[in-house]
Amino acid sequence: MTAGDDRAQDSTSERAALVDAAGPRSWRRAFNDLGQGWKQRPLWGYLGWQDIKQRYRRSVLGPLWISISMGVIATAMGILYGALFGEDITTFLPYVATGLLIWNFVSGCILEGSEVFIANEGLIRFLPAPLSLHVYRLVWRQTLFFLHNLVIWGILMIVFPQPLSWTVLLAIPAFVVLVLNGAWIAVLSGIIATRFRDIPPIIASLTQLLFFMTPIVWSYERFRSNPLATYVEINPVLHYVEIIRQPLLGLPIAWHHWYVVGAITVVGCAAALVCMRNYRSRVAYWV
Amino acid sequence: MVSIDIEGADVDFPVFDAKTRSLKKAVLGRAGGAIGTDSKVPVIEALRDINVSLRKGERVALVGHNGAGKSTLLRLMSGIYEPIRGRARVVGKVAPVFDLAVGMDPEISGLENILIRGLFLGMTRKQMEAKVDDIAAFTELGDYLSMPLRTYSTGMRVRLALGVVTSIDPEILLLDEGIGAVDAEFLAKARNRLHELVERSGILVFASHSDEFLADLCDTAIWMDRGTIREHGPLRDVLAHYKGRDVLAEIDAR
């Protein structure tokens, strides 16, 4: 064998101090895990794509099915609920589609997040890798789904033009914030669910409930006159949906949604980091 | 500096049965006080007070009965498990070879599996792409490499996994036996390649029941017994104490 000449030990040997002198419960190790996982972008980037291609392997249209099924569901729901609530289809159909687009990402991160370590049991127990790797892979996969679904939004903007303005650019930072939230929720619920296996079913049923509590197939605007409308604001998902939906539909921006999302993001990330610090090393024992 | 230092490390596995691994038990158990004896999760003490120091160039055999803690010790060294008590410090790029099937996706092609496994073992994409031809030649799988892995026989899968693993350049190589269904001719070839791999790697820890393999690759040995290190010394002495006879002499005599 002629491995001698390409015996490259350059960048990858930084993985070195996988297990170091500090105790298992240290901030340094928690951040180290996140950093090492991030460095393995080629790996989770590849795996995330694989996950998507996998699902549509041997189908003729491939990942295009993601967009198609999203389009069909959004159209059907838009027409049905539009008729039920007597909404104007030219604004309501894009409203439902955009809401669903965001919801798919949110629910994907919540549902798969709670299973993220359980589903990767084999990898965790047999190959040493940062825990965050599995989270990055999950969020990346959901991002790819989101981008596929975004095609439907694009088509709808052509069919039913909305009063888009420069604010559409706000959707980009809003999505970045959403991705960050997807990551912390996967870390937090993933670790807890690995220890307590009742969590995934609880989360699954709560998520289903959340779908109906969030203004996706019904219009929040129309409901606003109702005194109960303030309670809708308790639902955190509402704020995430609004910060992206408003710019994507050219609606006026209600900044208080941004404040709420910002606060939740800070608290959530802090909680996930604490969980990562204290229980990261236990996950391999629990899976 | 490539090294493994483990000081006073303990590894306990909590055993959650379906009941204790639920939130209900944790919540109700706390609220209701000591109702059941199951409020505390039973643990298996897999490793007890492990003290090992390995330096570059060491070739360590890991012997012991089934369940003595060989695999757990290997996983402790790989960083998969962190000790409950004590410290484990591992410096170097670790390549664990525990279960050849893990991380292999049956739906994607052999080539893609080679790439993924390599990335998991800490290689870069470029490094793996440079090695693909070498792996293809070694595994003798030819055009099969572009077929999905599910079409492979067990032996072909082992070839593929071995091909990837032996093509990397680890600083610390941890081998757990379980290199099963491969035909004899291929095994002889794998042995040569394993030799080269061991020579390239800084530290080797090899758990096996095959004395011949151990004699071939290792010079010192650790005898694991019920989760503790019973003896750590030259291969000949440890094997002789473990087996109750001079195994190496028998192998030499052959």
Side-chain angles (χ1 to χ4, degrees):
Chain A
M1 206 188 80
T2 56
D5 36 9
D6 55 15
R7 192 176 301 175
Q9 299 240 323
D10 42 351
S11 62
T12 47
S13 56
E14 282 162 35
R15 236 177 121 210
L18 256 173
V19 180
D20 55 42
R25 291 189 176 188
S26 73
W27 289 110
R28 201 161 62 96
R29 289 235 200 150
F31 283 110
N32 197 36
D33 186 292
L34 292 172
Q36 293 297 334
W38 183 251
K39 267 191 207 149
Q40 286 184 276
R41 282 188 299 280
L43 178 56
W44 52 258
Y46 192 78
L47 289 171
W49 264 118
Q50 266 323 322
D51 290 337
I52 290 201
K53 283 202 274 178
Q54 180 83 5
R55 208 168 295 195
Y56 299 95
R57 194 160 286 267
R58 291 167 72 185
S59 77
V60 181
L61 294 177
L64 201 59
W65 278 114
I66 303 170
S67 315
I68 294 174
S69 72
M70 159 80 189
V72 170
I73 292 172
T75 311
M77 280 191 157
I79 292 171
L80 172 67
Y81 286 90
L84 278 177
F85 297 128
E87 300 274 0
D88 176 14
I89 201 74
T90 57
T91 54
F92 196 65
L93 194 55
Y95 177 88
V96 170
T98 314
L100 269 180
L101 165 75
I102 304 158
W103 172 257
N104 281 347
F105 182 88
V106 172
S107 71
C109 284
I110 297 177
L111 290 175
E112 292 183 20
S114 63
E115 303 261 7
V116 65
F117 302 127
I118 301 172
N120 288 304
E121 181 190 345
L123 292 177
I124 291 173
R125 289 181 56 218
F126 288 97
L127 289 171
L131 268 191
S132 57
L133 177 100
H134 307 289
V135 174
Y136 292 132
R137 173 187 182 179
L138 162 71
V139 175
W140 172 237
R141 178 172 65 231
Q142 290 301 330
T143 304
L144 290 173
F145 275 126
F146 182 88
L147 294 176
H148 277 97
N149 288 337
L150 203 58
V151 172
I152 298 301
W153 172 80
I155 293 172
L156 281 172
M157 286 307 110
I158 296 166
V159 180
F160 304 110
Q162 302 295 316
L164 293 179
S165 68
W166 66 270
T167 55
V168 75
L169 293 176
L170 270 178
I172 297 167
F175 184 69
V176 172
V177 172
L178 192 65
V179 166
L180 192 60
N181 279 273
W184 76 250
I185 202 148
V187 169
L188 191 65
S189 67
I191 291 179
I192 298 173
T194 308
R195 174 65 183 81
F196 300 104
R197 299 293 168 101
D198 298 68
I199 299 292
I202 292 175
I203 288 181
S205 47
L206 279 182
T207 309
Q208 211 162 20
L209 180 67
L210 265 182
F211 176 76
F212 294 104
M213 305 306 287
T214 311
I216 294 164
V217 291
W218 49 274
S219 164
Y220 184 34
E221 270 318 304
R222 175 170 282 244
F223 191 52
R224 235 184 249 278
S225 53
N226 192 308
L228 288 174
T230 39
Y231 291 105
V232 176
E233 300 266 341
I234 296 171
N235 175 4
V237 180
L238 162 83
H239 305 283
Y240 291 98
V241 170
E242 291 293 5
I243 61 167
I244 303 184
R245 185 166 56 191
Q246 286 170 345
L248 282 184
L249 292 180
L251 300 171
I253 308 293
W255 291 102
H256 78 278
H257 296 304
W258 283 84
Y259 304 145
V260 175
V261 166
I264 299 175
T265 307
V266 171
V267 173
C269 286
L273 281 174
V274 170
C275 207
M276 193 77 177
R277 173 187 181 272
N278 288 345
Y279 303 111
R280 177 193 49 80
S281 65
R282 300 298 297 155
V283 170
Y285 289 90
W286 287 341
V287 287
Chain B
M1 184 61 200
V2 181
S3 64
I4 298 177
D5 289 288
I6 300 174
E7 293 163 38
D10 289 357
V11 169
D12 293 341
F13 289 107
V15 183
F16 308 103
D17 60 81
K19 281 172 192 165
T20 53
R21 210 202 304 230
S22 84
L23 192 62
K24 187 175 105 194
K25 277 282 155 103
V27 173
L28 297 184
R30 203 146 297 161
I35 294 176
T37 50
D38 56 358
S39 59
K40 203 167 172 1
V41 180
V43 294
I44 294 175
E45 301 182 344
L47 292 178
R48 269 288 152 272
D49 194 27
I50 299 293
N51 291 287
V52 190
S53 241
L54 300 179
R55 289 289 169 272
K56 193 169 176 156
E58 295 207 43
R59 309 267 174 265
V60 188
L62 213 49
V63 295
H65 295 291
N66 291 329
K70 300 190 294 290
S71 300
T72 312
L73 182 58
L74 282 177
R75 289 200 210 161
L76 183 71
M77 288 173 168
S78 74
I80 292 173
Y81 295 137
E82 291 178 21
I84 306 281
R85 282 168 294 274
R87 289 139 68 92
R89 185 180 163 79
V90 179
V91 183
K93 193 167 78 166
V94 179
V97 185
F98 300 155
D99 188 327
L100 294 173
V102 166
M104 291 281 178
D105 189 330
E107 291 300 322
I108 61 180
S109 72
L111 280 174
E112 287 170 305
N113 269 302
I114 290 176
L115 179 62
I116 289 181
R117 174 54 72 104
L119 289 172
F120 260 116
L121 292 173
M123 307 289 287
T124 64
R125 207 174 163 140
K126 261 208 188 99
Q127 287 171 336
M128 280 322 284
E129 275 161 10
K131 287 182 187 286
V132 158
D133 288 338
D134 174 47
I135 296 170
F138 167 70
T139 54
E140 298 172 346
L141 286 170
D143 292 340
Y144 249 102
L145 281 178
S146 51
M147 301 285 275
L149 196 72
R150 68 187 144 79
T151 61
Y152 288 31
S153 70
T154 317
M156 288 161 82
R157 282 178 201 211
V158 176
R159 280 172 178 234
L160 186 75
L162 268 180
V164 182
V165 160
T166 54
S167 72
I168 54 168
D169 304 303
E171 289 167 332
I172 297 172
L173 179 64
L174 307 172
L175 287 174
D176 203 347
E177 62 179 351
I179 301 162
V182 204
D183 53 71
E185 187 198 344
F186 184 76
L187 199 64
K189 205 166 133 193
R191 201 149 162 163
N192 286 337
R193 225 171 128 101
L194 219 51
H195 257 292
E196 291 170 27
L197 175 69
V198 166
E199 271 154 35
R200 286 205 301 277
S201 59
I203 295 178
L204 166 76
V205 184
F206 182 25
S208 175
H209 291 287
S210 156
D211 299 329
E212 245 177 279
F213 242 139
L214 291 176
D216 207 16
L217 295 174
C218 307
D219 42 34
T220 59
I222 293 175
W223 175 8
M224 292 297 295
D225 190 25
R226 286 180 213 153
T228 57
I229 294 180
R230 177 117 167 227
E231 194 178 347
H232 182 183
L235 180 70
R236 177 175 291 257
D237 300 352
V238 175
L239 265 188
H241 295 152
Y242 170 54
K243 297 264 173 164
R245 57 196 159 85
D246 195 345
V247 185
L248 291 198
E250 287 171 23
I251 291 172
D252 289 342
R254 248 177 255 166

